[in-house]
Amino acid sequence: GEDGLRFQVDMVAAAREGGLRLIGPNSMGVVNLHAAMGMTTNAALEAPGLIPGPFSVISQSGTALGALLSRGQARGFGFSKLLSIGNESDLSVGEVVDFLVDDPDTGAILLFLETLRRAEDLALAARRAYAAGKPVIAYKIGRSDAGQQMAVSHSGALAGPDAAATAFFRHHGIVRVDTLEALLETPNLVSGLKPATGRRAAVMTTTGGGAAMVVDRLGLTGVDFAVPPASVVTRLEGLGIRVGGSPVIDVTMAGARPDVYGPVLADLLTDTGNDVVICVVGSSAQFRPDVAVQPIIEQGGGDKPLAVFCVPEAGDSLKALAVHA
Amino acid sequence: GEDGLRFQVDMVAAAREGGLRLIGPNSMGVVNLHAAMGMTTNAALEAPGLIPGPFSVISQSGTALGALLSRGQARGFGFSKLLSIGNESDLSVGEVVDFLVDDPDTGAILLFLETLRRAEDLALAARRAYAAGKPVIAYKIGRSDAGQQMAVSHSGALAGPDAAATAFFRHHGIVRVDTLEALLETPNLVSGLKPATGRRAAVMTTTGGGAAMVVDRLGLTGVDFAVPPASVVTRLEGLGIRVGGSPVIDVTMAGARPDVYGPVLADLLTDTGNDVVICVVGSSAQFRPDVAVQPIIEQGGGDKPLAVFCVPEAGDSLKALAVHA
């Protein structure tokens, strides 16, 4: 109520006078995995066995922070600093992003947002992050009317039209994702990379049926499919495999051979005819990680985004891929 | 080629003469979990420890069948009969659906489709399944141009416009889903139930932030949010919780109390003011399954669809929910 708000304003003023900055109210705490430091009221943030890594998270929802942490942990995702920012009476999301741009333990910054408060702070910080090569990736709710209403009642902030948020993110180089899961899948894909200049995807697969699913989905997003380079066409012709007529490079007929998979993948990663390489891995992800998963791990982390979809359930392979990304 | 096709036609004719029906070509096999019978060339279909259950699958892609099996197994999903149908030179998807309508071990029928062949068979069988109260749920690729092209080259079938497929499914009471994961999540939700007559959702939560995510997503699909019944309003008023102003019933402030959760859920499930109940479960799904997950398990399986979203990673709770659905 009004008394609470007056108390909040007084408290922030008093803290400022004393040279302190405040996080909250409604913060569930702060965790620094590299310093093994945690101050939190959220059970999930106390989970043992968390893996330190390059990804820092700022969340306006404490629950979402806990969810990201527990889901990320299950797939070997490495976290750096985690902040439940609360209602931003003093420190804003943008100010913390700005701080993380200079943090050597932070390689990418993940945001869970219910609303945009003090957007000018965030705009400036996002541009600094972009210049520093640290991707800022945001999942923001409030896309539907019901979601906006809910965000307002939950965080007390005013919500603007969602299209404005999309435009804001795009303008300031922030990657917007559409699901909570994508907030965990995107960082490894774009970390350390500038946004791709084109939208030509090369798809390599060990399963025709699995690739058909991926191509169908990608087609809906409007990507272009890259023509395979001559080196790949020749290499596979030698094994009796014809490629080029389909949007994918299907090496299934070569059998389960890492000595085929690795060189084809290397050709695609150096080919200037595509902007991103997507590997679809079939049952070998589950039973024979040496066939495709191992070459992918060895060759990932270069100058080009390399995405992987394991068609079967393959927790161990996903963890190995996450750790080595 | 042409010789192969002639051979196929001859083989089907010979089999028919001898009173046999054929599956394939390009089938990866057939598995019957209740009879512990498996004939397959797909490694995933040989996975030990598969759980028998009420859900049968027919897939035009062997890879997709393996993926559904391994992913379903990881979450405690129970399968009945699994068929890699191949190119349907003899037995069609529709004919097998028709057979499964009369199979006492099949409660719902899941389809992975790359194309619609002999759609009239499927139309008739789907209508019989509907009358028998067995949901037919389909994931069909070929939604994008690239996906259609791919489906054609992979299955050899002609692909029609995707909007026609959507209309076909709707007309014959087949539930179409948009992701492979949804093919595993929908059966437990709709099994044994007729399609809901309305689209009023009651949302109950133990986490405001988690519910905000769910409501935001639901809002995009155009559901209506149900007004809580008087019984729930009164019950929660007694605990100092006001509901009604927001689209959700948030019991967080009651603390972690199964004796509050159970009765509120029971009220919602019997309330005629909603058509589906959605439970959003926070960190208790991970650490205190007795609080919300247990009451949900006890009260699920009734006359109304009951959906659950566990916000954190909570594999054990998801498995428990799947097994008891």
Side-chain angles (χ1 to χ4, degrees):
Chain A
E2 216 174 294
D3 282 357
L5 195 62
R6 199 173 316 121
F7 175 71
Q8 179 178 306
V9 171
D10 288 350
M11 187 173 61
V12 171
R16 284 274 174 116
E17 234 169 85
L20 277 179
R21 300 297 304 269
L22 298 181
I23 294 176
N26 289 340
S27 168
M28 286 202 192
V30 179
V31 177
N32 179 346
L33 278 160
H34 290 279
M37 187 278 290
M39 301 188 302
T40 170
T41 61
N42 186 315
L45 303 191
E46 291 165 6
L50 288 170
I51 304 155
F55 303 123
S56 289
V57 186
I58 306 169
S59 177
Q60 287 174 339
S61 155
T63 300
L65 192 60
L68 285 168
L69 216 147
S70 67
R71 287 168 179 255
Q73 186 186 6
R75 62 181 75 178
F77 194 89
F79 291 101
S80 179
K81 295 181 173 61
L82 300 147
L83 266 112
S84 166
I85 193 81
N87 290 7
E88 302 170 82
S89 69
D90 183 15
L91 273 173
S92 68
V93 169
E95 286 177 287
V96 179
V97 170
D98 193 60
F99 165 79
L100 292 173
V101 171
D102 300 318
D103 174 31
D105 290 332
T106 295
I109 301 159
L110 282 54
L111 307 177
F112 182 97
L113 302 175
E114 295 181 329
T115 184
L116 289 172
R117 285 196 200 87
R118 285 189 268 159
E120 66 285 1
D121 289 357
L122 181 55
L124 284 170
R127 290 178 162 266
R128 281 193 64 228
Y130 183 89
K134 297 191 180 184
V136 180
I137 304 159
Y139 176 62
K140 181 183 171 299
I141 61 172
R143 293 161 299 186
S144 66
D145 289 347
Q148 287 222 353
Q149 203 187 328
M150 185 79 191
V152 169
S153 77
H154 186 243
S155 69
L158 285 176
D162 191 60
T166 298
F168 173 84
F169 291 139
R170 186 172 303 142
H171 191 66
H172 298 292
I174 296 171
V175 179
R176 184 176 195 176
V177 295
D178 191 45
T179 63
L180 189 67
E181 290 293 306
L183 203 47
L184 292 171
E185 290 177 351
T186 311
N188 275 320
L189 189 60
V190 300
S191 209
L193 302 174
K194 295 277 178 193
T197 46
R199 45 197 304 121
R200 299 163 304 169
V203 181
M204 174 176 184
T205 188
T206 61
T207 153
M213 278 189 259
V214 171
V215 165
D216 191 43
R217 172 70 61 190
L218 285 173
L220 291 174
T221 69
V223 305
D224 297 322
F225 293 94
V227 176
S231 60
V232 167
V233 174
T234 311
R235 206 183 283 282
L236 291 177
E237 254 172 10
L239 297 159
I241 299 174
R242 273 184 48 208
V243 295
S246 143
V248 309
I249 296 158
D250 189 340
V251 297
T252 312
M253 290 304 164
R257 286 176 55 176
D259 63 320
V260 171
Y261 201 94
V264 171
L265 178 57
D267 285 350
L268 292 177
L269 285 170
T270 52
D271 178 26
T272 55
N274 68 61
D275 305 297
V276 56
V277 177
I278 297 165
C279 293
V280 182
V281 185
S283 56
S284 80
Q286 215 178 350
F287 303 112
R288 289 278 312 272
D290 60 305
V291 174
V293 171
Q294 196 53 40
I296 291 168
I297 288 171
E298 282 162 13
Q299 297 186 39
D303 291 340
K304 192 178 280 183
L306 172 58
V308 185
F309 173 58
C310 295
V311 182
E313 182 80 21
D316 291 342
S317 286
L318 288 179
K319 276 199 187 181
L321 287 162
V323 170
H324 292 89
Chain B
E2 217 173 294
D3 283 356
L5 195 63
R6 198 172 318 122
F7 175 71
Q8 179 178 306
V9 170
D10 288 349
M11 187 173 61
V12 171
R16 284 274 173 116
E17 234 169 85
L20 277 178
R21 300 298 304 268
L22 299 180
I23 294 176
N26 288 340
S27 167
M28 286 202 193
V30 178
V31 177
N32 179 346
L33 279 160
H34 290 279
M37 188 279 290
M39 301 188 302
T40 170
T41 60
N42 186 316
L45 303 191
E46 290 164 8
L50 287 171
I51 304 155
F55 303 124
S56 288
V57 186
I58 307 169
S59 176
Q60 287 174 339
S61 155
T63 300
L65 192 60
L68 284 168
L69 216 147
S70 67
R71 287 168 180 254
Q73 186 186 6
R75 63 181 74 179
F77 194 89
F79 291 102
S80 179
K81 295 181 173 61
L82 300 147
L83 266 111
S84 165
I85 193 80
N87 291 7
E88 302 170 81
S89 69
D90 183 15
L91 273 173
S92 68
V93 169
E95 286 177 287
V96 179
V97 170
D98 193 59
F99 165 79
L100 292 173
V101 171
D102 299 318
D103 173 30
D105 291 332
T106 294
I109 301 159
L110 283 54
L111 307 178
F112 182 97
L113 302 175
E114 295 181 330
T115 184
L116 289 172
R117 285 197 200 86
R118 286 190 266 159
E120 65 287 0
D121 290 357
L122 181 55
L124 283 170
R127 290 178 163 265
R128 281 193 63 227
Y130 184 89
K134 297 190 180 184
V136 180
I137 304 159
Y139 176 63
K140 181 183 172 299
I141 61 172
R143 294 161 299 186
S144 66
D145 289 347
Q148 288 222 353
Q149 203 187 328
M150 186 77 191
V152 169
S153 77
H154 186 244
S155 68
L158 286 175
D162 191 60
T166 298
F168 173 84
F169 291 139
R170 185 172 303 142
H171 191 66
H172 298 292
I174 297 171
V175 179
R176 184 176 194 176
V177 295
D178 191 45
T179 64
L180 189 68
E181 290 293 307
L183 204 47
L184 292 171
E185 290 177 350
T186 310
N188 275 319
L189 189 60
V190 299
S191 209
L193 303 174
K194 295 276 177 193
T197 46
R199 46 197 304 122
R200 300 163 303 169
V203 181
M204 174 176 185
T205 189
T206 60
T207 153
M213 277 188 259
V214 171
V215 165
D216 191 41
R217 173 68 62 188
L218 286 174
L220 291 174
T221 68
V223 306
D224 297 322
F225 293 94
V227 177
S231 60
V232 166
V233 174
T234 311
R235 206 183 281 282
L236 291 177
E237 255 173 11
L239 297 160
I241 299 174
R242 272 183 49 208
V243 294
S246 144
V248 308
I249 296 158
D250 189 340
V251 297
T252 311
M253 290 305 164
R257 285 176 55 176
D259 63 320
V260 171
Y261 201 94
V264 171
L265 178 57
D267 284 351
L268 292 177
L269 285 170
T270 52
D271 178 26
T272 55
N274 67 61
D275 305 298
V276 56
V277 177
I278 298 165
C279 294
V280 183
V281 185
S283 56
S284 80
Q286 215 178 350
F287 302 112
R288 290 277 313 271
D290 59 305
V291 173
V293 171
Q294 196 53 40
I296 291 167
I297 288 172
E298 282 162 14
Q299 297 186 38
D303 292 340
K304 193 178 278 183
L306 172 58
V308 185
F309 173 58
C310 295
V311 182
E313 182 80 21
D316 291 342
S317 285
L318 288 179
K319 277 199 186 182
L321 286 162
V323 170
H324 291 89

